[in-house]
Every structure is written in C-alpha cells, then in structure tokens.
Amino acid sequence: MVIAIDGPAGAGKSTVARLLAKKLGLRYLDTGAMYRCVALTLARRGLAADDTASAQSVAESVKIEFRPGDPQRVWCNGEDVTEAIRQPEVGDLASAVSTIGGVRRALVQRQREIVGEGGIVLEGRDAGTVIAPEADLKVFLTATPQERARRRWLELRDKGVPVSEDEILRRLLERDRQDQTREESPLRMAEDAVLVETDGMSITEVVERLARLAQEAGEA
Ligand code: DC
C-alpha cells in the first residue's frame, strides 16, 4: 500500500501522515524534510538559494537519513537536524530551493527509491503527481489560510519559537504563492486525489477519515 498526501504548508500533512503510517503499520516519508536539509546545508555553507549549481550539488550529495524516534529523527550529514530544519527561515529557504529543477530531480530520484520498497505513507507537494503517481490512495489535504496559520502558530508557540500569528499568515501566503506558481512541479491536486478540507476537524478525525479511505482503496 502506497499513500500519497499533498497539500499546502500548514495543512497538517506531517502530523496526519505520521499518525496514519503508525495506525496502518506503514513507513513514513516526509519529503519536505529533504528540501529542508538541502536548505539548511546551503545556509550553513553561506550559499544563497539562487546559487542553482551549488544547490543542485548539495541535493545530489547531502546525506539524509530518517532514524527511528517519536517523532522520527532527521539526520543530515551525520548530524541530528530534526529541530534545526523546523525553523521558519529554513522553511522559507526550502521553498525557494525547491523551485530549482536540478534540486527536484535529485530529491525525487531518492524519494522514488524509498517509495519503491512499498508499504509507505509519503507527504509533500508532488507526492501524488510526480513521486508516486501510481499510489493506491492520493489525498489532497487542505484548510483555509487562517486556520493553517493558527495551527502553525500554536505549534511554534509550544516549541517556544517567538513569532506573531500575522507574521505566520504573511509567510504562509507567500509560501503558497511560491509553491503554486513555480515552473517545476507546482503544488496542485492530482486528478484522482481525494480532497480533504480539514477546517473544524481534529487530527484524530482526519486520520480516521484517511484510514477509511485507505481501507476502501485496499478493497478496490
Ligand atoms: O512540507 P514542508 O513545509 O516541510 O516543505 C518545505 C518546502 O519544501 C515547501 O515550501 C515546498 C518544498 N517541498 C516541495 O517542493 N516538494 C515536496 N515534495 C515537499 C516540499
């Protein structure tokens, strides 16, 4: 069973995908974490996001590992970067870096290798359209920008990251624009994806809805 979940920033994809994978006994692939690892590596080397040659070279060579943990740990070039890649600045840089064709090709190739082993829930922006177009179930998870900004704000506040809700909303709208208008694999819903709008739904309700959809897909 391969389940591909796409949607805009802050729709709850990571949390939902992780819990769904756990519930169904599947592996979990956070493809956005891979773009974030490339972004963090570039930033630490003092390289700009528009240095396309360097970005591609980093995407091809950076060592990315997902290690067990709850939540799953992300290692980049031998260092645990699970928290570092969640900084809002790294997210913005990841969005910029993800517009580079060479970066996408390098990461998509790695992602397809991981997905090829089967039994996985993967989430991102192009999971159902590019990485795994043959997925058994494709879901497009979304919510209004205000709801998504509020969730992100609560999440960051709990982690002690000081940002205002307005600032988050501004960044989120900018990220939506960048993710949807880029030339390379823009965020869009696959034709055969199920649209799930999560305003007013709890995480548990969303996970249960997706588990039912997965069951139906498995029976089909
Ligand atoms: O899901 P996220 O916020 O961790 O993703 C960070 C950025 O990476 C996002 O703005 C767009 C990019 N991304 C992408 O282009 N394709 C993916 N499959 C996953 C993420």
Side-chain angles (χ1 to χ4, degrees):
M1 166 78 59
V2 173
I3 302 175
I5 304 178
D6 290 305
K13 297 185 301 290
S14 300
T15 311
V16 165
R18 187 163 44 81
L19 293 173
L20 183 68
K22 204 169 173 182
K23 190 176 171 85
L24 303 180
L26 301 171
R27 293 179 302 142
Y28 160 55
L29 176 63
D30 173 0
T31 64
M34 300 173 76
Y35 289 91
R36 287 171 181 268
C37 281
V38 172
L40 183 69
T41 305
L42 277 173
R44 289 196 174 162
R45 292 187 186 162
L47 298 165
D50 59 2
D51 180 350
T52 53
S54 297
Q56 181 172 344
S57 146
V58 167
E60 284 166 357
S61 60
V62 69
K63 189 170 177 213
I64 303 170
E65 297 165 89
F66 292 101
R67 298 196 186 174
D70 199 8
Q72 185 182 63
R73 309 302 297 178
V74 184
W75 284 63
C76 177
N77 288 331
E79 182 194 340
D80 186 338
V81 295
T82 315
E83 280 79 32
I85 58 169
R86 294 298 148 202
Q87 293 298 322
E89 295 75 16
V90 178
D92 291 346
L93 195 57
S95 178
V97 156
S98 73
T99 62
I100 303 169
V103 169
R104 300 205 72 83
R105 278 190 291 283
L107 295 187
V108 166
Q109 188 183 342
R110 292 183 187 207
Q111 289 154 0
R112 284 188 178 147
E113 282 167 18
I114 299 170
V115 173
E117 292 162 31
I120 197 162
V121 179
L122 71 152
E123 53 101 353
R125 303 295 189 289
D126 58 348
T129 49
V130 178
I131 308 168
E134 307 299 324
D136 301 285
L137 171 65
K138 297 178 195 173
V139 174
F140 196 84
L141 205 64
T142 189
T144 57
Q146 287 71 18
E147 172 86 13
R148 290 187 281 126
R150 178 148 190 86
R151 290 181 192 161
R152 239 314 108 112
W153 176 74
L154 285 172
E155 198 183 311
L156 289 170
R157 192 198 59 179
D158 289 349
K159 287 182 188 154
V161 183
V163 269
S164 76
E165 213 175 320
D166 283 351
E167 171 67 10
I168 301 257
L169 180 61
R170 194 187 59 72
R171 283 194 158 164
L172 194 127
L173 292 172
E174 171 54 23
R175 198 115 83 79
D176 280 0
R177 194 195 58 75
Q178 185 153 277
D179 293 347
Q180 288 161 7
T181 58
R182 67 179 180 218
E183 276 179 31
E184 296 277 345
S185 315
L187 169 68
R188 63 175 180 84
M189 185 171 141
E191 274 170 23
D192 51 352
V194 181
L195 176 67
V196 177
E197 288 169 317
T198 65
D199 282 84
M201 280 173 90
S202 71
I203 287 169
T204 314
E205 285 168 338
V206 179
V207 173
E208 277 169 8
R209 169 95 208 276
L210 268 50
R212 277 199 302 278
L213 290 170
Q215 195 185 356
E216 286 163 22
E219 287 164 0

